[in-house]
């Protein structure tokens, strides 16, 4: 089983920005007008020419502090336009899950300031969500959820979000369900977990005015159970996300792509189910300050176009608030600096047209030898032209010259017949 970082009980938020493909991870530092560009190391895929994802961000803090940090994040990235906020509900008790935390008002105010912003909200599926409850107890809780016992809590959350005028919030429900960190994990009873997801989603969708999108977001790899065993069905999922950190120790990015239930299988699974993808959590972890991971992950997202991604910015994952990763921070900032809107991709060069096979030239007609001009005559009034070809006059060869009978085509190109003089010997002196 892979080790996971443990999220602090005090929640922090993630902020997404529109403009480029990749995420915003920021480190508080000198406000330099132009960052020094880092030259990434060699890899099997090139760095992105520009970030092309419309929304990217960083997990900064879940409360009001997260909202306040957005301006500093934008400044560090050279004025990048942050359009998406990402926060987490606590999971200590059911009151938390009903959305009674005051910081939701701060995020709702931020969201309503601009129509082009998006709020992403992680919602636990169980109270005591980080208390390390044993599998036997988790099984009993899942059975109750599958029976609809907790529907009222999710309905109250939906009503709260609609009341705050943020009915189009992206709901990351029961994230990293394939692991062991959270009480809302799937492993103890996948069948009951899927029924519970359906019950919770149905309860939230029953609230008038809601426009929620539900993001199914496992952690990368097999973890405790294959995340595909927990997938609740296409009618209950709008986005298929993945939390993907640089771990375990010694695993390079290619293995993260190719491993069972890894990055490639995630993309392929989403495509098969006709769903967009997201990366709600990603960042550095078990391999330290790894600029190659940063470069490759940004390039991966540039290629596969998630609807949003948010780097986790506290240590050891981040690149702005966390100052432990200067090399990765340099890669991140140099690629995302000053992004406001996606830069248009250059037009692909047109495919060259296959040249037409040249036509074989027609054998030329023997040219007509021009006639000797006649004496000029007094001009007459003009009449309608009706030229007629003059009959060819055979030229008289010069004295002591014998005409040679050549091919008509040769005679055409040399301008007539060739004449050979026979008195060449007498002219030597």
């Amino acid at each position: 089983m892979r080790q996971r970082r443990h999220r602090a009980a005090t929640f922090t938020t993630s902020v997404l920005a529109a403009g480029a493909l990749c995420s915003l991870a920021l480190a508080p530092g000198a406000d330099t007008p132009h960052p020094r560009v880092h030259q990434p190391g060699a890899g099997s895929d090139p760095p992105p020419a520009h970030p092309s994802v419309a929304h990217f961000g960083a997990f900064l803090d879940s409360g009001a502090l997260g909202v306040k940090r957005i301006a500093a994040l934008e400044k560090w990235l050279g004025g990048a336009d942050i359009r998406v906020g990402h926060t987490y509900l606590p999971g200590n008790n059911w009151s938390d899950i009903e959305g009674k935390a005051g910081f939701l008002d701060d995020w709702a105010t931020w969201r309503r300031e601009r129509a082009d912003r998006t709020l992403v909200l992680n919602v636990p599926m169980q109270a005591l969500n980080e208390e390390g409850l044993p599998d036997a107890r988790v099984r009993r809780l899942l059975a109750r959820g599958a029976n609809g016992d907790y529907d009222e809590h999710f309905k109250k959350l939906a009503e709260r979000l609609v009341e705050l005028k943020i009915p189009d919030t992206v709901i990351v429900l029961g994230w990293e369900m394939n692991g062991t960190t959270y009480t809302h994990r799937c492993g103890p009873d996948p069948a009951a977990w899927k029924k519970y997801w359906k019950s919770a989603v149905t309860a939230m969708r029953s609230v008038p005015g809601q426009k929620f999108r539900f993001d199914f977001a496992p952690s990368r790899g097999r973890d405790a159970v294959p995340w595909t065993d927990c997938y609740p069905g296409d009618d209950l999922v709008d986005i298929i996300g993945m939390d993907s950190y640089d771990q375990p120790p010694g695993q390079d990015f290619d293995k993260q792509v190719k491993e069972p239930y890894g990055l490639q299988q995630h993309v392929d699974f989403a495509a098969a189910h006709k769903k967009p993808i997201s990366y709600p959590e990603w960042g550095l972890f078990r391999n330290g300050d790894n600029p190659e991971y940063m470069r490759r992950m940004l390039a991966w997202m540039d290629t596969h176009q998630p609807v949003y991604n948010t780097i986790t910015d506290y240590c050891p994952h981040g690149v702005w608030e966390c100052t432990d990763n200067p090399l990765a921070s340099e890669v991140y900032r140099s690629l995302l600096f000053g992004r406001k809107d996606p830069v248009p991709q250059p037009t692909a060069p047109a495919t060259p047209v296959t040249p037409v096979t040249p036509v074989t030239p027609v054998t030329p007609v023997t040219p007509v030898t021009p006639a000797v001009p006649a004496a000029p005559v007094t001009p007459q009034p003009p009449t309608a032209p009706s030229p007629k070809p003059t009959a060819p006059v055979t030229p008289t060869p010069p004295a002591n010259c014998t005409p040679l009978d050549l091919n008509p085509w040769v005679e055409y190109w040399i301008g007539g017949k060739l004449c050979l003089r026979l008195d060449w010997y007498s002219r030597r002196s």
Side-chain angles (χ1 to χ4, degrees), residues 304-325:
H304 295 287
Q305 301 286 294
V307 291
Y308 71 90
N309 76 82
T310 48
I311 190 170
T312 301
D313 198 46
Y314 57 81
C315 285
H317 312 302
V319 293
W320 178 55
E321 293 181 286
C322 179
T323 59
D324 293 350
N325 305 306

Side-chain angles (χ1 to χ4, degrees), residues 62 78-79 83 152 183 193 201 217-219 238 252 254 288 306 315 327 334 348 365 376 392 409 418:
S62 24
R83 300 180 188 176
E152 191 62 24
T183 302
W193 192 92
V201 168
S219 57
D238 299 293
D252 63 21
D254 288 329
C315 285
L327 297 178
S334 67
V365 179
W409 188 83
L418 184 64

